[in-house]
Amino acid sequence: MKITKPVRHVAALVTSTVMAATLQISAAHGATPADQVQPVAWNTFGTYSAGDAAGQRVKKVLADESRYLIGPNYASKYTSYLPDGYLNLGGTDEGAVRYPAMTALSVSAALKLGAYNPVGLSAANATIRDVNLIRTIAARHKANNTDSTTAWGYGWQTSLWAYYDGMAAWLMWDKLSVTDRDKVVNMLVAEANRFTTGNDVYLIGTSGAQLYMTRKDGTVVSAGDSKVEENQWSAALLGLTTAMMPGHPQAAAWKTRHAQLLVAATAGPADLTGTSTVDGIKLSTWLQGSNIGDDGTVINHGIVHPIYMILDQGLDEAATAGLANTCAPVAAKRNVDSVYDALVDKKYPTSSGGTNTIYQPGSANIFYPQGNDWGTTFAGYFGGFDNLVSLYGADNLVTTKAATWAQLHDNAQIALQARYTDGHTYASGTENSYGGREQRIGAIYGLNYLSLWLNKNSAGNKTCWS
């Protein structure tokens, strides 16, 4: 979650090249784009009852939030179709594309993994609405759509929007038509291929954003604005395309860039002179800058910002890979333990002259050392991260383990939803000013539940790190 910046479009030539490459690949294979996808082999998985404490909590949050998103929220927002038969999303910006994509991911996870609550809307009707969102978002991408009034894509954050929609589509692959599948693939390939034109300095060729907040020589590239988040969401898309399409002609390039973005995301100053090699990348040689402090702090919006210390996007990589029965790059969880320690145990100065930790012992309350420009109430954000940290053992440095914090924060999230009968979380923008706050909770807990489902599956743990 980041304040929306001016969208940085790549040059028209790059856009044309990506679209042309997509069409050439399809023609070369003599098949539709969707034929390159390896569907999830659901028959290789067992079941998950969510009988454990974490599972019960996460399932409850997901069931309620997804019920709200695909029920009242959908009904109020998506009231008409355009002449081409797709939903009217109401625009091409973040609110018009990312928000419904997060809804689709939340609902797809709930439906596919048995967590959907049919109160108010049957699972069959929820599936129809969910598929409507998935197919419309993909159809509106510039790889499939030349209408400038409805087309989105090739922007600063659009790889994240494509990731959400693509993950939702992969979960619901059997519910999509061949035409819809093709459009999903075109969208994913077009967004992923943008990152293979880059190098160790830039995200997107020489016209995009840099990978680091601070350069190796000490130059501050983007003052007060860590690039952890951009790198991780770009990597998330590449992890998804690689998992879905391991035989694609671009898969090797995606895999390489995937590891590079993950390594850059959580690079600290000490990595620039260390001797470690991660996923085949020698850090001191390849890295050209850093994004986090060696003490685990993350600077964003010009402050030490706990919201941006929630590194759930990296840990979600294990679930993406797990669906393909492969391992996630170990770079995806590198330095998460030190960042988590900075949330739990590091002491920060207070205005009264004392010190305080971000996580408050025995409480779901959060201390924001330099304030929080997003609002006051983020229990679900931290609870989702705690659950992943606990699952993957990234709490090895802290005095109080992640499972304890997960219980506190999840229960606080459940209490927020208990205020309403329709399953939503927030009372107002004062609690959380982000426009997609409800959808963000849905996506967090959808991916949380998928991670639990894979880790605690009756057929054995299906996640691993290479």
Side-chain angles (χ1 to χ4, degrees):
M1 184 181 74
K2 194 183 290 282
I3 292 174
T4 302
K5 302 176 182 177
V7 175
R8 299 172 181 135
H9 293 288
V10 292
L13 177 61
V14 175
T15 301
S16 301
T17 302
V18 170
M19 293 183 71
T22 301
L23 295 173
Q24 289 170 2
I25 289 169
S26 299
H29 280 69
T32 70
D35 289 332
Q36 299 171 73
V37 171
Q38 176 180 284
V40 177
W42 295 107
N43 63 338
T44 66
F45 299 101
T47 58
Y48 171 56
S49 67
D52 58 300
Q56 291 174 17
R57 297 191 309 267
V58 172
K59 184 177 183 180
K60 167 103 176 122
V61 176
L62 174 61
D64 285 346
E65 193 68 50
S66 62
R67 172 169 64 92
Y68 165 73
L69 291 172
I70 204 64
N73 187 260
Y74 180 103
S76 68
K77 292 181 180 297
Y78 308 109
T79 58
S80 65
Y81 292 82
L82 293 181
D84 59 5
Y86 292 101
L87 290 171
N88 181 359
L89 296 177
T92 62
D93 61 2
E94 181 177 357
V97 183
R98 178 180 174 179
Y99 298 0
M102 289 191 288
T103 291
L105 174 53
S106 171
V107 176
S108 294
L111 287 167
K112 196 68 182 183
L113 305 178
Y116 180 70
N117 182 352
V119 172
L121 186 71
S122 69
N125 285 332
T127 299
I128 291 171
R129 290 183 175 186
D130 187 37
V131 168
N132 249 349
L133 290 177
I134 293 168
R135 62 190 292 270
T136 297
I137 293 165
R140 298 283 181 242
H141 190 272
K142 289 180 179 179
N144 300 306
N145 180 20
T146 58
D147 182 351
S148 61
T149 65
T150 61
W152 67 276
Y154 312 130
W156 165 68
Q157 198 190 81
T158 56
S159 58
L160 177 62
W161 309 351
Y163 160 76
Y164 285 134
D165 194 52
M167 179 64 86
W170 200 25
L171 290 171
M172 302 296 283
W173 204 244
D174 61 326
K175 304 297 183 183
L176 300 178
S177 70
V178 172
T179 298
D180 293 334
R181 292 175 183 178
D182 284 347
K183 290 181 178 180
V184 169
V185 171
N186 290 342
M187 169 189 70
L188 292 174
V189 170
E191 288 287 338
N193 281 350
R194 298 165 64 215
F195 297 105
T196 62
T197 65
N199 50 47
D200 61 336
V201 179
Y202 296 96
L203 282 173
I204 308 166
T206 55
S207 62
Q210 295 203 21
L211 289 173
Y212 312 107
M213 181 172 73
T214 305
R215 297 282 292 163
K216 202 170 189 175
D217 62 5
T219 302
V220 178
V221 179
S222 57
D225 188 27
S226 167
K227 297 305 174 186
V228 174
E229 191 182 31
E230 285 98 327
N231 290 341
Q232 285 197 335
W233 77 44
S234 301
L237 174 74
L238 294 173
L240 177 61
T241 55
T242 303
M244 286 180 69
M245 296 173 274
H248 193 282
Q250 287 292 98
W254 295 338
K255 185 176 181 179
T256 296
R257 193 60 172 158
H258 182 214
Q260 291 174 343
L261 287 169
L262 289 172
V263 164
T266 56
D271 293 322
L272 304 179
T273 56
T275 59
S276 298
T277 296
V278 179
D279 288 317
I281 299 170
K282 187 174 181 181
L283 302 186
S284 62
T285 301
W286 187 83
L287 285 170
Q288 299 300 314
S290 61
N291 284 307
I292 69 171
D294 286 331
D295 61 356
T297 53
V298 176
I299 305 294
N300 227 314
H301 300 183
I303 59 176
V304 173
H305 211 314
I307 296 296
Y308 294 92
M309 293 164 70
I310 298 172
L311 305 183
D312 54 337
Q313 291 179 124
L315 295 182
D316 284 332
E317 294 264 355
T320 303
L323 286 174
N325 284 304
T326 59
C327 295
V330 72
K333 65 173 183 175
R334 192 177 62 86
N335 286 338
V336 171
D337 54 354
S338 66
V339 173
Y340 198 66
D341 186 49
L343 286 171
V344 174
D345 288 331
K346 181 177 172 59
K347 294 184 182 298
Y348 301 83
T350 66
S351 57
S352 61
T355 60
N356 209 345
T357 54
I358 292 173
Y359 277 19
Q360 300 289 284
S363 169
N365 294 336
I366 300 294
F367 169 62
Y368 298 96
Q370 297 175 330
N372 180 8
D373 50 1
W374 283 111
T376 62
T377 310
F378 296 87
Y381 286 41
F382 291 101
F385 186 40
D386 298 330
N387 282 309
L388 294 174
V389 168
S390 181
L391 271 180
Y392 300 121
D395 56 355
N396 55 296
L397 300 178
V398 299
T399 53
T400 301
K401 296 301 182 182
T404 298
W405 297 111
Q407 182 179 5
L408 289 167
H409 295 137
D410 283 346
N411 284 340
Q413 166 62 32
I414 291 169
L416 291 172
Q417 289 174 293
R419 299 178 295 177
Y420 310 103
T421 59
D422 62 4
H424 80 277
T425 297
Y426 288 104
S428 69
T430 300
E431 292 181 340
N432 182 346
S433 63
Y434 178 52
R437 51 189 172 269
E438 299 291 345
Q439 293 87 346
R440 180 74 178 114
I441 292 294
I444 287 170
Y445 280 87
L447 290 166
N448 254 214
Y449 196 71
L450 175 60
S451 297
L452 285 165
W453 193 90
L454 288 166
N455 274 266
K456 301 185 178 184
N457 200 271
S458 62
N461 184 0
K462 296 296 184 178
T463 66
C464 55
W465 304 89
S466 60

